[in-house]
Amino acid sequence: MRKPMSHVAIVSTSATLRERWSDGLGECSRNDPAASNSCKFSFVSVDSAARALQLAVEDGLLQAVIIDAVTITDAEELIVSLKAARAELDLFIAVEHGQADTFAAHSVELLDRNDDNMNQLFRQVQSAIAHRASTPFADTLRDYVYSAKDAWHTPGHSGGDSLRDSPWVADFHQMMGEHIFNTDLSVSVQVLDSLLEPHSVIQEAQDLAAEAFGARETFYVTNGTSTANKVIIQHLLGAGGKMIVDQACHKSIHHAAILFGVEPIYLQASLKAEYGFYGPVPKARIFTAIDANPDAGLLVLTSCTYDGFYYDLKPIIDYAHQRGIKVLIDEAWYAHGRFHPELRPNALECGADYVTQSTHKMLSAFSQASMIHVADPDFNEHRFREDLNMHTSTSPQYAMIASLDVARKQMSMEGYSQLQRCIDIAQRLRSGINKTGVFRVLELEDMLPCELADDGVRLDPSKLSVDISASGMSARELQLALFESYGVQVEKVTHNTLSVLVTLGSTESKVLRLLNAFQKLAAKASRTSETVRRNVPPLPKLSAFHILPRDAYFGKAVEIALVAEQHGLNEAVVGAVSADLVVPYPPGIPVLIPGQEISESIASFLLNLYHSKNGTEIHGLVERGDSALLRVVER
Ligand SMILES: Cc1ncc(COP(=O)(O)O)c(C=O)c1O
């Protein structure tokens, strides 16, 4: 494995000091007895704050900056700008007597400018970088595996021994690889700490994650953000209460309302019917709901959405806080937001109390690996731990925990440069796809519903929505053609778009193949080119709520047919109250929530969707024989 390189900048207008430090530190690093364990170092000197900032933006290998507070007169400003560009950088301030207090409010390490002990300075820099680069859980797991202990404990496959020599299942062992099995351990192995009551290596890993993501505390979740959302809603509203929530939120939020008897105040999401996207909720609508519900305990918003929209969160969170309402932001799709200035500020930086992130969606963790970040000043850790443990298996996957540790390290050490690469790839994909003349990557202006024009909503550049309507093919046909003829699997489709997700795992060869596929498909399309008409009915508006989701879901219900004779709508459905969550997939956003009145437009939407046979699944629709039934509250 290649040894990583760390660049360290020395910022001073004094040429003598710059030379003394870069020569001295360089020599220390060459003579470092621990060099074989760590990264390589290179010391770069710059003579102004502006150049230091430029270096931070241009040099992805930069890990630490040493600022001479005597000659760099705007050192405080530089600290703030460096942190805004690269939150992860380790900053050192070399001060003289009486200067230390100036920097007390900043998260920096102080150095004595007149101290000539270069070894000491080198060790301080080295140890700060090594701290961020450490993976306490993943290292302990690796060491345990290599210590080759005999297993007389769960899991029953015992490090893979139950499969390895079996004539029937050894092939599975071989395909998965030995480490899938020998890292699959249990809480019996005490050196690996306990996810449910962490005190050692898991706690240390979570503390490092809190530092990296800018949280007060971070908790690992091994059942995805679906569970993380439920944990937080249980924690804040477990005994009931009001929650103001985006109608187009993930279904786990609706599930939490059912589980905990929460009264949801639904915010109608904006809609871009032309492309089948739900957008964010207009700011004014959120403020009105907050004003009308001063007794609400929680505001929940999704930022960014599946399609990449993210809110200008600060004014919204401030507004909720001024009225005593806690804020949960679902950042399932935005775990990378902290690590590149083009993507910041993220929810924690805007003041959210709780943030959930699917580390597995955009970063390098295994599926189901998520994090909860907490910044709530009234946080009750003991109660939270109980709430979290109610949803946590007592047999969590250790490889998943290790992957959270490693994903955090990666973002802390190379997140900035990796994301810069992703942004560049996204840009090249954009122009390459647009060049086909048939397919077009949508811009924010194309995607944003008009009512959000002045809300400061932005678009995550890593999520590309491609308009395929000029191709003469449906999105499903195109998805299939990409898969079968070009070996490309995309993220999702709507009736006339397909979404491509650029992640840290996107490579140049994948870019090449994707662009080649679009070019070839465009060449075919141009012969038949005609705009595909939509065969999906427009998404309907939200209707009234009559009963708490929990009461509707668990109360008495009957099943009634959606379809009447001659394929028409069964009028009995209209005005009934849904007992289930009914979710067309894609886009995976409910059109009916338990307790919601089934309006004529929602019923017709479902009927048309059901008849359209365009491949959209309708979760929550009971299909029995030839009948499509809806479960509704008994009158
Ligand atoms: C907005 C949002 N929140 C939460 C989730 C659930 O995340 P996970 O798959 O980690 O359970 C998803 C999943 O797609 C999502 O889109």
Side-chain angles (χ1 to χ4, degrees):
M1 209 175 98
R2 268 184 302 136
K3 213 182 213 193
M5 166 65 86
S6 289
H7 290 176
V8 178
I10 297 159
V11 195
S12 174
T13 62
S14 156
T16 323
L17 186 125
R18 287 201 308 271
E19 194 179 329
R20 182 157 55 91
W21 282 5
S22 60
D23 288 355
L25 290 169
E27 196 177 330
C28 291
S29 95
R30 283 189 294 280
N31 298 333
D32 177 26
S36 58
N37 306 324
S38 62
C39 56
K40 291 193 272 184
F41 285 94
S42 168
F43 298 91
V44 194
S45 48
V46 289
D47 60 6
S48 71
R51 277 181 209 274
L53 198 55
Q54 188 185 354
L55 191 69
V57 172
E58 288 172 359
D59 183 359
L61 299 181
L62 189 71
Q63 297 292 356
V65 182
I66 307 172
I67 303 167
D68 171 14
V70 171
T71 66
I72 300 295
T73 46
D74 47 358
E76 254 195 293
E77 213 176 292
L78 176 59
I79 293 169
V80 174
S81 309
L82 285 171
K83 282 287 172 190
R86 305 271 303 269
E88 76 286 6
L89 287 179
D90 287 308
L91 301 185
F92 297 83
I93 307 295
V95 293
E96 284 192 334
H97 298 300
Q99 273 191 310
D101 290 351
T102 317
F103 302 100
H106 299 283
S107 111
V108 291
E109 257 191 71
L110 292 180
L111 306 171
D112 178 357
R113 187 175 187 267
N114 299 314
D115 189 348
D116 271 344
N117 184 348
M118 285 294 122
N119 263 330
Q120 172 66 17
L121 177 53
F122 176 68
R123 297 274 171 262
Q124 277 178 265
V125 174
Q126 187 184 42
S127 117
I129 295 173
H131 173 72
R132 272 195 289 130
S134 65
T135 41
F137 181 81
D139 289 359
T140 312
L141 182 62
R142 179 203 57 213
D143 294 347
Y144 185 80
V145 165
Y146 288 129
S147 72
K149 301 281 189 264
D150 280 349
W152 290 95
H153 57 77
T154 56
H157 61 68
S158 204
D161 289 344
S162 68
L163 303 104
R164 189 183 308 103
D165 299 323
S166 158
W168 293 101
V169 289
D171 55 340
F172 182 65
H173 183 271
Q174 210 172 5
M175 192 270 282
M176 298 300 282
E178 60 166 330
H179 292 317
I180 272 287
F181 295 99
N182 62 22
T183 57
D184 187 21
L185 295 156
S186 81
V187 78
S188 311
V189 183
Q190 284 151 14
V191 292
L192 291 173
D193 206 358
S194 155
L195 184 65
L196 290 105
E197 205 59 49
H199 291 294
S200 60
V201 284
I202 293 181
Q203 188 55 52
E204 286 163 31
Q206 292 185 150
D207 290 345
L208 280 161
E211 281 173 32
F213 287 89
R216 174 179 154 166
E217 291 196 53
T218 292
F219 297 83
Y220 285 177
V221 181
T222 52
N223 192 26
T225 299
S226 306
T227 289
N229 285 337
K230 288 182 203 128
V231 168
I232 293 165
I233 295 170
Q234 173 175 334
H235 179 60
L236 296 171
L237 299 174
K242 265 191 192 175
M243 154 174 90
I244 302 172
V245 57
D246 172 5
Q247 167 215 358
C249 64
H250 186 252
K251 61 184 181 176
S252 54
I253 309 275
H254 300 296
H255 290 158
I258 295 170
L259 285 169
F260 309 120
V262 172
E263 180 186 348
I265 308 296
Y266 284 113
L267 299 162
Q268 174 111 36
S270 60
L271 191 64
K272 190 74 178 180
E274 190 184 346
Y275 296 115
F277 299 139
Y278 279 105
V281 182
K283 218 182 260 182
R285 201 174 292 161
I286 302 174
F287 292 163
T288 307
I290 291 175
D291 288 341
N293 296 280
D295 55 339
L298 180 64
L299 167 69
V300 185
L301 295 173
T302 309
S303 187
C304 69
T305 65
Y306 202 0
D307 301 301
F309 293 116
Y310 63 102
Y311 286 88
D312 171 21
L313 279 174
K314 178 104 176 50
I316 300 172
I317 295 174
D318 286 351
Y319 201 84
H321 281 171
Q322 282 151 16
R323 285 147 188 86
I325 299 173
K326 298 283 179 206
V327 181
L328 159 62
I329 303 295
D330 180 338
E331 273 191 349
W333 289 101
Y334 213 56
H336 54 308
R338 164 99 166 151
F339 301 95
H340 196 286
E342 208 171 299
L343 308 173
R344 291 169 75 186
N346 68 0
L348 278 174
E349 290 166 338
C350 292
D353 299 290
Y354 296 87
V355 174
T356 51
Q357 291 175 345
S358 297
T359 321
H360 65 94
K361 285 198 198 298
M362 299 295 295
L363 311 184
S364 300
F366 287 137
S367 285
Q368 292 190 16
S370 284
M371 293 190 198
I372 294 175
H373 302 296
V374 180
D376 182 359
D378 306 317
F379 185 53
N380 179 336
E381 182 165 356
H382 169 71
R383 283 303 302 269
F384 183 84
R385 168 64 58 201
E386 291 302 301
D387 292 324
L388 177 57
N389 285 356
M390 276 187 212
H391 295 263
T392 305
S393 166
T394 46
S395 312
Q397 240 290 348
Y398 281 48
M400 200 190 299
I401 299 173
S403 78
L404 280 166
D405 201 11
V406 170
R408 183 274 313 154
K409 168 181 173 177
Q410 181 174 37
M411 293 319 285
S412 197
M413 305 314 293
E414 59 174 9
Y416 175 75
S417 55
Q418 287 289 340
L419 289 171
Q420 187 57 54
R421 195 178 61 82
C422 290
I423 291 169
D424 292 346
I425 287 181
Q427 189 48 47
R428 275 187 287 133
L429 284 177
R430 241 169 223 284
S431 67
I433 292 171
N434 291 347
K435 251 191 223 148
T436 62
V438 172
F439 302 107
R440 188 173 72 92
V441 180
L442 296 173
E443 301 293 335
L444 176 64
E445 304 78 67
D446 302 312
M447 296 171 66
L448 198 66
C450 323
E451 50 190 334
L452 287 155
D454 300 322
D455 276 10
V457 171
R458 291 161 65 193
L459 190 63
D460 177 357
S462 65
K463 298 177 177 80
L464 303 182
S465 300
V466 183
D467 180 358
I468 56 101
S469 49
S471 69
M473 296 172 87
S474 75
R476 289 268 173 212
E477 286 166 341
L478 203 61
Q479 185 182 29
L480 211 63
L482 280 167
F483 184 73
E484 288 184 345
S485 307
Y486 301 97
V488 167
Q489 176 67 59
V490 296
E491 176 65 28
K492 71 154 172 100
V493 294
T494 67
H495 64 282
N496 60 357
T497 68
L498 54 84
S499 303
V500 175
L501 205 62
V502 179
T503 70
L504 304 194
S506 301
T507 62
E508 287 304 322
S509 56
K510 289 181 197 167
V511 171
L512 200 78
R513 285 194 289 275
L514 184 62
L515 286 179
N516 175 52
F518 273 116
Q519 274 153 12
K520 297 255 167 65
L521 286 165
K524 276 190 205 154
S526 55
R527 275 178 252 133
T528 58
S529 176
E530 66 178 54
T531 302
V532 162
R533 262 184 289 285
R534 43 180 311 144
N535 60 349
V536 177
L539 293 166
K541 287 209 158 167
L542 191 68
S543 53
F545 283 83
H546 296 294
I547 312 179
L548 282 187
R550 179 188 179 86
D551 295 342
Y553 182 80
F554 289 115
K556 282 197 172 163
V558 290
E559 289 177 353
I560 51 175
L562 172 67
V563 191
E565 302 207 337
Q566 255 92 55
H567 305 297
L569 177 67
N570 176 9
E571 292 297 334
V573 166
V574 178
V577 172
S578 180
D580 276 332
L581 207 62
V582 180
V583 190
Y585 192 91
I589 291 164
V591 290
L592 283 174
I593 294 155
Q596 185 182 351
E597 182 180 316
I598 307 177
S599 64
E600 157 98 59
S601 65
I602 292 177
S604 304
F605 169 82
L606 287 172
L607 183 75
N608 290 338
L609 200 60
Y610 179 68
H611 286 322
S612 71
K613 308 272 181 244
N614 74 337
T616 308
E617 299 163 18
I618 309 177
H619 301 170
L621 190 71
V622 187
E623 293 201 56
R624 204 165 281 130
D626 285 341
S627 314
L629 307 160
L630 287 169
R631 216 168 64 87
V632 302
V633 172
E634 196 177 77
R635 288 183 206 251

